[in-house]
Amino acid sequence: MKKFLLLASMLALLTATGLSQQKAGLLLTTASSVGDAQEFHGYWIVRDGSSVDVTTGDRLLVPRKSGWWELGITQLTRVGSQTRSARVWAAPFGQPRAKTHVMPMSDDDTCPDDMNTYTVSWVGTDFAALQHDYESSCMGRSVSRGQSFVVRLDDLREKNDVNAQRLKISELAGEDARKAMGDGAAAVSSDDENEISADEESWIVSRERGHYRLLGTVERDMESGGQTYDVPLDPPKTLVGPDALAVGWDAVLHKVPDAVDAYTSPAGDWLVIVTPHSLQVFTLDQGKIGERLKRVQIESPAVVAAQWALGEDLNAWGEVVKGAWTDGN
């Protein structure tokens, strides 16, 4: 019996050790604004023991059940006008759209200097949160508005960002989310003495301090800036994926005081901390942050997408990501 218990203990220890040393990779994408344009910065982070390899690129890649997709932005210019606009698109990897497009002048363009820009704030495996900004000075009347909403990636392929269906929060997060959205709007209205009406189609997914959040949004105009308010409900995994952080946020700040976000591996054995200027990789042991294994400079701390790869997926993801970031297309 003693030999059996000893053998069982050794097997359990080996299993735990194998799990804690399981190779894993994090595909992280951040976004930055350059003038009126949004640019993406990708980081493929792989840990193998004490070694951490980081590959960088400039395309937003999305691993989906149907295969790899890419999400991008086409910058639009019009002949005879200095105004720039943008369009967001999504498509299976290998079917990219042009980064820039020049539109001809048309007699139907009554307001050629109108500007419509779209930026991306979050991307999941099936959905994306977008910000639409519109400016016009047509007919001597100045208009400036902004809206935020969530759409399906499939819609961004089949249609475009203008016609993509704006999804209600209850469609993706359930009826409890609709009720929580109303509660969040009511709480802000009470505090600010500025009544907000919850709109089920005006919401986004946000990331803060190692966790995803749901935020309701209010349309922005020239007279009043846009506003967000908390939807007091944890986003479902079906929307954002796994969202566990194997260490407390206070411990993250104690280790890296300027941290703005953090991600822990599925096995809970390493940690990626995002700061305003860097990505830092640390070991984790039973929820305690250990030594720093890697530090790399980043273009922006605004993370818009994050997915983990394990096991057989690790090498396959690496081949796709590295190939996409070096093919020059």
Side-chain angles (χ1 to χ4, degrees):
M1 176 62 70
K2 291 183 178 179
K3 290 183 178 180
F4 175 79
L5 292 175
L6 178 60
L7 178 60
S9 298
M10 291 177 65
L11 288 173
L13 178 60
L14 289 173
T15 300
T17 302
L19 178 62
S20 65
Q21 294 181 350
Q22 184 180 21
K23 287 178 64 177
L26 174 63
L27 178 58
L28 200 71
T29 307
T30 68
S32 62
S33 297
V34 180
D36 295 328
Q38 186 180 35
E39 295 183 351
F40 299 119
H41 316 282
Y43 304 89
W44 172 235
I45 309 165
V46 178
R47 180 195 174 189
D48 185 3
S50 60
S51 174
V52 175
D53 180 63
V54 180
T55 305
T56 62
D58 59 359
R59 301 167 75 168
L60 202 171
L61 303 175
V62 186
R64 307 185 67 193
K65 289 182 179 179
S66 59
W68 284 85
W69 277 47
E70 180 177 0
L71 188 145
I73 297 178
T74 298
Q75 300 299 322
L76 306 176
T77 57
R78 191 181 300 276
V79 173
S81 173
Q82 297 298 315
T83 302
R84 292 180 175 271
S85 293
R87 288 288 180 267
V88 179
W89 55 267
F93 177 66
Q95 302 176 22
R97 313 282 176 84
K99 292 184 178 181
T100 60
H101 177 68
V102 179
M103 299 180 294
M105 182 63 74
S106 170
D107 293 337
D108 296 331
D109 294 331
T110 57
C111 299
D113 293 330
D114 285 2
M115 182 179 72
N116 280 277
T117 61
Y118 288 83
T119 55
V120 179
S121 60
W122 167 81
V123 180
T125 55
D126 295 308
F127 309 98
L130 307 180
Q131 168 77 35
H132 172 217
D133 289 293
Y134 169 73
E135 293 185 11
S136 174
S137 57
C138 187
M139 309 298 290
R141 181 184 178 188
S142 295
V143 178
S144 177
R145 298 188 182 281
Q147 296 175 314
S148 300
F149 48 89
V150 174
V151 299
R152 288 185 174 86
L153 294 185
D154 293 310
D155 262 5
L156 292 180
R157 176 193 182 188
E158 297 171 0
K159 303 172 184 178
N160 55 49
D161 45 25
V162 176
N163 299 317
Q165 179 185 359
R166 301 182 181 190
L167 301 173
K168 294 181 178 180
I169 195 170
S170 59
E171 292 182 66
L172 302 183
E175 184 64 17
D176 287 343
R178 184 191 67 79
K179 295 177 181 178
M181 190 177 197
D183 293 340
V188 173
S189 298
S190 175
D191 292 342
D192 295 347
E193 298 181 356
N194 179 25
E195 186 171 354
I196 292 176
S197 177
D199 179 354
E200 271 209 85
E201 295 182 356
S202 297
W203 64 287
I204 58 173
V205 176
S206 179
R207 178 86 184 182
E208 182 180 338
R209 296 185 175 186
H211 292 288
Y212 290 104
R213 299 171 58 200
L214 299 177
L215 296 177
T217 64
V218 178
E219 184 179 38
R220 175 185 62 78
D221 57 35
M222 294 186 68
E223 287 73 31
S224 61
Q227 186 175 1
T228 61
Y229 57 92
D230 184 54
V231 177
L233 183 77
D234 291 334
K237 290 183 179 180
T238 53
L239 177 63
V240 300
D243 190 30
L245 191 65
V247 62
W249 185 249
D250 287 343
V252 172
L253 290 180
H254 181 75
K255 193 73 172 183
V256 182
D258 61 343
V260 295
D261 200 359
Y263 299 81
T264 50
S265 63
D269 61 334
W270 56 288
L271 168 75
V272 177
I273 298 178
V274 183
T275 79
H277 304 291
S278 68
L279 294 177
Q280 301 185 35
V281 181
F282 293 86
T283 61
L284 267 181
D285 185 10
Q286 297 182 352
K288 295 183 179 180
I289 305 175
E291 65 174 317
R292 187 170 69 189
L293 301 176
K294 192 81 170 183
R295 183 182 187 275
V296 295
Q297 294 294 113
I298 58 174
E299 298 291 335
S300 164
V303 177
V304 296
Q307 295 90 11
W308 285 94
L310 293 171
E312 296 180 357
D313 288 338
L314 194 64
N315 291 335
W317 281 36
E319 291 179 5
V320 172
V321 170
K322 293 179 180 180
W325 288 345
T326 58
D327 66 8
N329 292 330

